[in-house]
Amino acid sequence: MIRWSELSNTPLPDDWKLVVLEDVCDGVFDCPHSTPKIVDEGYHLVRTPDIITGKLDLSNTYKVPLSTYKERVKRAVPESGDLLFSREGTYFGIAATIPENVKLCLGQRMVLLKPNSNYYPDFIKYWINSPIIKQYLHISREGSVAERLNMSTIRQIPVATPPLQTQKAIASVLASLDEKIDLLYRQNKTLEAMAETLFRQWFIEEAEDDWASGVIPNEFDFTMGLSPPGTSYNEELIGTPLFQGNADFTFRFPQNRVFTTEPKRFAEKFDTLISVRAPVGAQNMAHEKCCIGRGVAAFRYKKNPTYMTYCYYKLMSLMDEIKQFDDTGTVFGSINKKDFQEFPIIIPPDDMVEKFENCASPINHRIIGNCLQIQTLEKLRDTLLPKLMSGEVRVNYEQDN
C-alpha cells in the first residue's frame, strides 16, 4: 500500500489511520456497461456530467423505465449516504453523496461506493475530491484518449481517516461552506430569471411595430478575439487572463485558468463575452480587463458603454439565433465578424433602453455581488480542504451522547 509520505509532506496525526477505499466500504460496485433505453419520464440515470460539481445534480439526468432500473440495480441499490464516483472521461475521479428520497441507477463510467458504519460518507466524499487524491488519481489514470481508472485502482485509493467524530466535524465545516455557496447560486439563478423575464416583457412581448430594424453594429461595438502565441501561455498568473471560449465560462464570469504575456485583443470589464467557435453561443461577462482568444467575441453598448445590463440581456435574447451558427462549417460551427455585422436586430428607443438599465441593473449588480461572494467562499473552502483532510488543521467537535 502507498505510504502517507508519498501523498503529503505533513505528518499524519497519531489518531488517524491510512487505509484503502475498499476497507472503508461494504461494497465498491462498477456500473453495468450496456447502453440503456432512454425515456422521457422514469428513473434517474446518473452519469459523470451529473456530479462534476462534487454534488449530485438531478436537473438534467437521462431517464430510464422501471424495467431498466430494476436490471441495473440487481447487484446493488444506490441508497441515501452512498457515494457516486466517476471513473472515466474528462471529469473522472469525482465523488458525490446520494441524498435522501432519491431513486436512481448508474450510467456508464460510474461506480457506486457504500461506506460502512465506521466512516462518514461526506468525509469520504471530501477526501476523494481533495487535492491530495486528485493528484494521486491523475498519476494513476490510464488511457491515452479517454482518461479512466480501473476498478482495482479505485479499490486501492488511499484514505486517511480520523476517528468518526472528527470525520463528521470536518465534513460539517466543509458542508457549511458548500451550503452557503449553493444558496448564492440558487439566488443568482432566480435573479437571472427575473432580469431575463423583464427584458423579454419590455423588448419582445411589448415591442412596438415602429421600432427600427438594424444590425448588431447599430447598437453594439464588438471585438473578435485573436489568440496570442502559445509560448506566451502560463498558469502562474503572469500577465493578462486569457479566455479562449466555452471551456473557461461559468455561471456569469469566466474562470482564470490561463494567462498570457503577449495579449493581442482585449475585452473590458463588464463586456459581454460570447463563444464564437465550437460551441457557438455560450455567454459570460468579463470581470476585469482580459485577453480574448479567437474563440470569444466581446460586446458593449455603443451609445453608453456603462449599460452593461442591457447589453448582456439583449445578447441573451438573441442566443437562439446565434447558436444556429453552431451547425455551420464542415468540422465545427463558428460565427465570424461578417456574420455579426449582418445579424438582424430590432432597435428599441433610447429612453426604453435607459429605463430598463435603471430598473434591471440593481438585479445585475446583486448577481455580480453574489458571484464575488461565491469566489471568496470557494477560495476559503479550497484553502481549508487540504489542511483539514491532512490533519494539518484540527477542528473541535462534541462527542455524541
Side-chain angles (χ1 to χ4, degrees), residues 30 85-88 92 109 111 148-151 154:
D30 195 7
F85 179 81
S86 59
R87 61 170 294 191
E88 184 178 339
F92 82 99
R109 304 177 179 178
V111 174
R148 61 181 180 269
L149 298 165
N150 62 48
M151 289 302 295
I154 293 169

Side-chain angles (χ1 to χ4, degrees), residues 222-284:
F222 68 94
T223 301
M224 303 297 293
L226 180 65
S227 297
T231 54
S232 72
Y233 296 3
N234 69 89
E235 298 181 4
E236 286 72 48
L237 313 184
I238 301 172
T240 305
L242 167 64
F243 304 124
Q244 294 276 43
N246 180 61
D248 298 315
F249 289 1
T250 60
F251 167 74
R252 171 58 70 89
F253 296 120
Q255 56 183 336
N256 290 345
R257 296 188 305 124
V258 178
F259 285 68
T260 175
T261 55
E262 299 180 42
K264 299 300 181 184
R265 293 183 184 168
F266 295 92
E268 299 296 330
K269 185 176 183 179
F270 296 140
D271 281 356
T272 294
L273 306 178
I274 302 293
S275 66
V276 297
R277 294 165 62 88
V280 176
Q283 183 172 343
N284 255 204

Side-chain angles (χ1 to χ4, degrees), residues 35 58 71 88 113 117 137 146 152 156 219 268 301 318 332:
T35 301
L58 298 176
E71 181 65 29
E88 184 178 339
L113 310 176
S117 58
L137 295 179
S152 60
Q156 293 299 308
E219 267 203 304
E268 299 296 330
Y301 186 58
L318 302 173
F332 50 78

